[in-house]
Structures are given as structure tokens and as C-alpha cells.
């Protein structure tokens, strides 16, 4: 395992990676729709793989592309 790149990130680091504010990321945790997260005691962590999966799921080809729809 590469120790230079952590696999779990705190919300502030995850927000930087996603180009979001920490407040927006917290709101997404509350309302849903954001990346998967881990809750360990009082700590919130994001796995890097979950952040990357969430980013890929929000890829669009144009501004009118609404992405996949839930059945």
C-alpha cells in the first residue's frame, strides 16, 4: 500500500479534491446525493475510491445531458 496517498480522507481534504466547499459537502451528507462516506464514532471519512466513483458518475457530454435516470 502506498503510504504517501491516504485511502481515506477527512471532509476538508475530500472537499478540495471535489472542488467543493466543506459546507456543501456537509449539506450533501445530510440531504443525500453526495459521495459515500464512512462514519466512525464522531469522525467522517471519505474513501478515495468512492470520491472517484462519484465524480465519474457525474460526467456529462453536454450541459443538456441529465445523466442516467433512476428506474
Amino acid at each position: 500500500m502506498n503510504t504517501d496517498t491516504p485511502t481515506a480522507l477527512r471532509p476538508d481534504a475530500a472537499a478540495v479534491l471535489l472542488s467543493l466547499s466543506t459546507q456543501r459537502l456537509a449539506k450533501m451528507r445530510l440531504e443525500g446525493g453526495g459521495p459515500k462516506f464512512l462514519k466512525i464514532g464522531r469522525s467522517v471519512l471519505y474513501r478515495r475510491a468512492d470520491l472517484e466513483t462519484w465524480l465519474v458518475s457525474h460526467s456529462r457530454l453536454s450541459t443538456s445531458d441529465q445523466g442516467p435516470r433512476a428506474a
Side-chain angles (χ1 to χ4, degrees):
M1 179 160 80
N2 183 354
T3 58
D4 294 338
T5 306
T7 57
L9 303 171
R10 296 191 182 280
D12 56 339
V16 169
L17 184 72
L18 299 174
S19 299
L20 297 172
S21 69
T22 54
Q23 294 87 356
R24 178 68 184 132
L25 197 53
K27 188 172 184 178
M28 293 168 83
R29 280 195 307 272
L30 180 67
E31 296 175 348
K36 290 181 182 181
F37 62 94
L38 305 169
K39 181 77 170 157
I40 303 171
R42 293 182 181 179
S43 297
V44 172
L45 297 171
Y46 291 88
R47 289 184 293 197
R48 185 175 292 276
D50 290 335
L51 297 175
E52 292 169 359
T53 299
W54 185 80
L55 281 172
V56 168
S57 75
H58 284 76
S59 296
R60 303 294 183 262
L61 296 174
S62 71
T63 56
S64 60
D65 183 357
Q66 296 181 5
R69 297 177 189 245

